[in-house]
Amino acid sequence: MKLLDHAKKIGAFDQIAIIEEPFPEELEIDITDIPVRIAADESAHTDIDALKRIQMGYRAIALKAIAKL
């Protein structure tokens, strides 16, 4: 929230489209009160994990390929 408050102060808040997984994977807190889109990343290993993060307030899931060439 300090980051978002600072972004508002300097006029950058409206430029934030998404913040990717700013919390440790094991931290399970409700984030519905955060006023920007937060994407789950490392914490969404399965569909069940993704659903849990959605219920916690995450509004995006960052998908990455399992293997890259």
Side-chain angles (χ1 to χ4, degrees), residues 18-59:
I18 195 166
I19 296 177
E20 185 178 327
E21 195 88 67
F23 310 112
E25 180 178 341
E26 63 277 357
L27 185 62
E28 295 183 357
I29 60 169
D30 185 288
I31 62 166
T32 55
D33 61 335
I34 297 177
V36 296
R37 182 178 294 117
I38 305 291
D41 187 0
E42 284 81 12
S43 63
H45 299 284
T46 66
D47 58 337
I48 294 170
D49 293 338
L51 288 171
K52 185 174 186 179
R53 293 294 171 188
I54 290 167
Q55 292 170 346
M56 292 166 48
Y58 286 79
R59 294 186 276 161

